[in-house]
């Protein structure tokens, strides 16, 4: 998902293993949910979500925070990224991963008291996949049979169903794939695959203001630009910990104000560190610090149709590579981020299963100002570019020092007036501008993985099927050779074979540079000294359910 500010486990359950034995049993689920409860509400840092709180239409981190707490899907992930069955009793593939049989655990309910059934999943998935409904998570369903039929908006009403989904009974359904998809059993851990109650279809807009889910917490109020309040779901019976009485996400426009509130005990937890505090937070006695390697890749995206940077053209490729080589990533990490993060050399992360350093083209992510200027001059010989290269970002997330440093590095290498920043006041305004393609330049991006696979970084950000509003390919990049390699990875016999195709696909990206990877963000954050149980998960988010007031 798109990260506002922005460790995977190396071992993940395979399709064949992701059965009831891989996930928690009914008895273990029950005991987990009955952990000792706190008697306080935990307050957490956030910004205003971009959209109403609908799982299938959310692809950014601020909306994802409450959604992930309010909804449970077929599987969930522990703090290390290991898949565990949640609503699913079992997920059983056929021999070549072209069909899955899914059985649900009994007794699961939404917070309005209605039952979670097989149709709660099939109808929700079809709604999200249906292009008529214009859901941002549509591309996640692209390998299910019937997806392409739901992309032809002419004649669609919005209630048509994916032909690959078949309800067997209230607790069983099957999923026929249009192609093999070995990542499906972990992909369904993403919240876009969450079930929806009947009340959603009656009034989706009202639902998004106060969603009804089946997760460990339930949303009770969203006071826009102030806070989002969730309370413990006392009927939750899953495997996630719930040790407090609720979570209130307090909405900030300045991360330094949130940090000050952590210090004074007015806020309990935040998952980022203001640049001004990045050097001292680990020794700050007024907070509980956290800093470990993470899985978030911070980038900026250059739209594929940007004048003088058009993807697939000689001039565009030269300029993209020149910009990338003009960035002193190590200098920015060391001086601006105080060494907390690591310069990126690919489009995933070192903690992603199958990560491989030294890929062909990774030299384009190395600081080389001499080569950068040479490439820029070659591009100018094709067509002189006199417009500034602008970099847009949201000003409420602490990104200003990084983007100021980016511009300085580019201008030092290529010329004093080549690059300029384009700050936008809030995350919501920034994401809206990205979504409606009104930004005439590069823009801040990044990826916080939804499930532990290179496929999540690559397909969702760069495949043709994730462009045009169907996913998170906001730059509109399309390359048939890249798409073909992703298809081969889906059909791979095992994860090692799939990882080989992912590496080949990355080499195409490292040449074309639809986005420019900057650095891998550590999982860093702080908590008030008034709470216990503070840790961060494989996605770089606090484990909210473990937090308890002392």
């Amino acid at each position: 998902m798109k990260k506002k500010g922005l460790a995977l486990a190396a071992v993940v359950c395979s399709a064949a293993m992701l059965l009831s034995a891989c996930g928690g049993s009914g008895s273990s689920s029950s005991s987990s949910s009955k952990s000792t409860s706190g008697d306080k509400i935990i307050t957490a840092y956030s910004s205003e979500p971009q959209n109403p709180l609908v799982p299938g239409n959310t692809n950014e981190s601020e909306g994802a925070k409450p959604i992930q707490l309010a909804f449970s899907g077929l599987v969930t992930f522990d703090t290390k990224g290991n898949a565990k069955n949640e609503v699913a009793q079992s997920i059983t593939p056929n021999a070549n991963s072209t069909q899955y049989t899914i059985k649900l655990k009994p007794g699961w309910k939404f917070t309005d008291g209605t039952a979670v059934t097989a149709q709660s999943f099939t109808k929700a998935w079809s709604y999200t996949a249906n292009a008529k409904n214009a859901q941002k998570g549509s591309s996640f369903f692209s390998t299910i049979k019937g997806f392409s039929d739901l992309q032809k908006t002419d004649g669609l009403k919005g209630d048509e169903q994916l032909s690959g989904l078949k309800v067997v009974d209230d607790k069983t359904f099957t999923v026929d794939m249009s192609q093999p998809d070995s990542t499906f059993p972990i992909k369904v851990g993403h919240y876009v695959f969450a079930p929806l109650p009947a009340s959603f279809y009656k009034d989706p807009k009202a639902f998004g203001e106060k969603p009804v889910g089946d997760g460990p917490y339930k949303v009770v109020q969203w006071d826009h630009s102030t806070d989002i309040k969730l309370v413990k779901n006392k009927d939750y019976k899953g495997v996630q910990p719930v040790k407090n009485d609720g979570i209130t996400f307090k909405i900030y426009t300045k991360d330094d104000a949130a940090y000050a509130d952590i210090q004074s005990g007015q806020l309990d937890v935040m998952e980022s560190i203001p640049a001004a505090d990045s050097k001292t937070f680990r020794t700050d006695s007024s907070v509980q610090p956290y800093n470990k390697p993470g899985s978030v890749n911070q980038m900026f995206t250059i739209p594929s149709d940007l004048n003088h940077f058009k993807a697939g053209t000689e001039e565009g490729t030269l300029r993209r590579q020149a910009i990338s080589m003009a960035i002193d990533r190590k200098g920015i990490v060391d001086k601006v981020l105080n060494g907390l993060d690591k310069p990126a050399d690919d489009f995933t992360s070192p903690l992603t299963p199958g990560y491989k350093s030294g890929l062909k083209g990774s030299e384009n992510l190395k600081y080389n100002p001499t080569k950068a200027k040479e490439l820029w001059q070659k591009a100018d010989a094709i067509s002189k570019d006199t417009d500034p290269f602008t970099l847009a970002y949201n000003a409420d997330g602490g990104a200003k020092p990084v983007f100021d440093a980016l511009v300085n590095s580019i201008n030092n290498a290529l010329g004093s007036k080549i690059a300029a920043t384009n700050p936008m006041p809030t995350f919501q305004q920034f994401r809206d501008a990205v979504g409606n393609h009104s930004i005439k330049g590069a823009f801040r991006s990044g990826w916080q993985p939804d499930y532990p696979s290179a496929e999540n970084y690559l397909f969702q950000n760069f495949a043709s099927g994730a462009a045009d509003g169907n996913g998170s390919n906001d730059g509109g990049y399309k390359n048939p050779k890249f798409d073909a390699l992703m298809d081969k990875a889906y059909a791979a016999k095992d994860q090692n074979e799939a990882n080989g195709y992912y590496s080949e696909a990355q080499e195409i990206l490292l040449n074309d540079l639809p986005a420019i990877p900057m650095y891998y963000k550590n999982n860093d954050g702080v908590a008030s000294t008034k709470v216990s149980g503070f840790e961060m998960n494989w996605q770089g988010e606090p484990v909210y359910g473990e937090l308890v007031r002392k």
Side-chain angles (χ1 to χ4, degrees):
M1 78 193 76
K2 299 298 181 184
K3 181 69 174 171
K4 170 183 176 286
L6 331 150
L8 291 165
V11 180
V12 179
C13 291
S14 69
M17 291 172 61
L18 196 61
L19 308 175
S20 56
C22 180
S25 67
S27 59
S28 66
S29 298
S30 177
S31 61
S32 173
S33 66
K34 293 181 179 178
S35 302
T36 303
S37 295
D39 59 356
K40 299 290 185 181
I41 300 293
I42 297 297
T43 56
Y45 167 74
S46 186
S47 292
E48 180 76 2
Q50 180 189 8
N51 295 305
L53 302 178
V54 175
N57 200 37
T58 299
N59 69 343
E60 44 79 20
S61 59
E62 304 312 282
K65 291 176 185 177
I67 284 174
Q68 288 176 312
L69 296 180
F71 290 87
S72 284
L74 294 172
V75 304
T76 188
F77 302 102
D78 66 17
T79 58
K80 303 299 183 184
N82 298 305
K84 295 181 178 295
N85 284 353
E86 178 80 322
V87 183
Q89 186 71 48
S90 62
I91 302 175
T92 307
N94 65 357
N96 63 355
S97 300
T98 57
Q99 185 185 72
Y100 292 86
T101 299
I102 297 170
K103 293 183 180 296
L104 308 181
K105 293 175 182 174
W108 207 281
K109 293 183 178 181
F110 292 106
T111 55
D112 62 2
T114 59
V116 176
T117 67
Q119 190 178 53
S120 303
F121 286 94
T122 61
K123 194 172 180 180
W125 295 6
S126 296
Y127 181 93
T128 303
N130 195 313
K132 187 71 173 180
N133 300 319
Q135 301 292 284
K136 296 182 183 298
S138 174
S139 64
F140 285 93
F141 301 88
S142 63
T143 57
I144 297 177
K145 186 178 180 180
F147 178 82
S148 59
D149 295 332
L150 298 187
Q151 306 314 298
K152 305 164 186 174
T153 54
D154 290 344
L156 290 177
K157 296 182 294 182
D159 59 356
E160 294 83 1
Q161 303 296 291
L162 286 163
S163 62
L165 302 179
K166 297 286 189 289
V167 174
V168 177
D169 56 44
D170 275 356
K171 298 300 176 187
T172 310
F173 66 101
T174 60
V175 185
D176 289 321
M177 317 304 291
S178 58
Q179 62 188 75
D181 185 355
S182 58
T183 65
F184 182 76
I186 58 170
K187 188 187 297 184
V188 295
H190 184 19
Y191 57 79
V192 299
F193 289 88
L196 291 173
S199 60
F200 167 77
Y201 306 98
K202 296 175 182 177
D203 192 343
K205 184 176 180 180
F207 182 93
E209 293 297 310
K210 190 178 179 181
V212 174
D214 63 329
Y217 295 88
K218 66 177 181 178
V219 177
V220 294
Q221 182 180 339
W222 180 3
D223 186 0
H224 287 273
S225 301
T226 300
D227 59 34
I228 302 173
K229 293 183 172 69
L230 297 91
V231 297
K232 179 180 178 179
N233 176 11
K234 295 181 180 179
D235 295 323
Y236 172 71
K237 55 188 299 182
V239 300
Q240 301 179 62
V242 187
K243 297 182 179 179
N244 50 58
D245 290 342
I247 309 292
T248 293
F249 289 102
K250 298 176 69 174
I251 295 170
Y252 289 82
T253 57
K254 298 289 185 182
D255 61 346
D256 54 353
Y259 188 88
D261 282 351
I262 293 279
Q263 291 176 307
S264 66
Q266 300 303 304
L267 182 69
D268 291 325
V269 66
M270 66 184 296
E271 76 284 2
S272 60
I273 305 297
D277 299 290
S278 60
K279 193 172 185 177
T280 59
F281 82 100
R282 284 172 290 186
T283 57
D284 185 347
S285 62
S286 65
V287 304
Q288 295 184 64
Y290 190 100
N291 183 259
K292 293 183 179 181
S295 55
V296 170
N297 191 319
Q298 287 287 15
M299 303 177 269
F300 63 84
T301 295
I302 304 175
S304 61
D305 60 354
L306 185 65
N307 195 28
H308 295 288
F309 286 82
K310 290 183 179 179
T313 67
E314 182 182 6
E315 181 195 3
T317 301
L318 288 168
R319 292 199 189 281
R320 289 165 185 264
Q321 293 179 0
I323 290 289
S324 182
M325 291 184 192
I327 298 170
D328 183 2
R329 292 168 176 79
K330 187 175 187 305
I332 291 172
V333 166
D334 290 346
K335 296 175 184 177
V336 179
L337 301 172
N338 290 301
L340 295 181
D341 304 307
K342 180 181 178 181
D345 67 354
D346 86 326
F347 286 84
T348 64
S349 85
L351 300 184
T352 305
Y355 165 81
K356 184 178 180 181
S357 63
L359 291 170
K360 180 182 178 182
S362 61
E363 63 273 12
N364 290 332
L365 305 188
K366 304 296 184 185
Y367 182 50
N368 189 340
T370 302
K371 181 70 171 179
K373 192 159 190 175
E374 176 188 328
L375 296 178
W376 192 261
Q377 290 172 343
K378 285 183 178 180
D380 271 348
I382 297 172
S383 178
K384 182 69 175 177
D385 183 10
T386 58
D387 297 324
F389 176 73
T390 59
L391 292 128
Y393 65 92
N394 55 298
D396 62 346
K400 183 180 187 302
V402 169
F403 276 78
D404 284 347
L406 279 173
V407 165
N408 287 337
S409 185
I410 293 168
N411 287 340
N412 286 340
L414 302 180
S416 61
K417 296 182 179 180
I418 296 295
T421 60
N422 177 21
M424 308 188 80
T426 68
F427 179 69
Q428 183 183 37
Q429 290 171 300
F430 169 71
R431 285 301 306 164
D432 284 346
V434 170
N436 62 33
H437 306 290
S438 62
I439 298 176
K440 305 305 179 185
F443 52 86
R444 182 172 181 264
S445 54
W447 196 251
Q448 178 189 54
D450 302 298
Y451 44 90
S453 170
E455 182 267 354
N456 184 232
Y457 293 84
L458 303 180
F459 182 91
Q460 301 305 331
N461 283 297
F462 305 112
S464 298
D468 304 321
N470 293 319
S472 295
N473 184 354
D474 295 323
Y477 174 75
K478 296 178 181 179
N479 185 316
K481 292 181 179 179
F482 174 85
D483 294 339
L485 286 167
M486 296 304 295
D487 287 342
K488 288 182 178 180
Y490 282 129
K493 297 186 296 291
D494 55 44
Q495 195 59 53
N496 286 336
E497 182 183 352
N499 288 337
Y501 291 125
Y502 293 141
S503 292
E504 288 185 55
Q506 283 218 70
E507 290 177 352
I508 292 175
L509 298 181
L510 287 165
N511 177 76
D512 293 357
L513 295 176
I516 309 293
M518 296 187 293
Y519 58 91
Y520 308 118
K521 185 182 182 301
N522 273 10
N523 292 343
D524 50 33
V526 289
S528 164
T529 57
K530 295 181 179 180
V531 299
S532 61
F534 176 46
E535 64 174 323
M536 299 183 76
N537 65 17
W538 63 285
Q539 291 178 300
E541 295 289 343
V543 184
Y544 295 106
E546 291 280 4
L547 292 165
V548 179
R549 286 287 185 95
K550 293 180 180 178

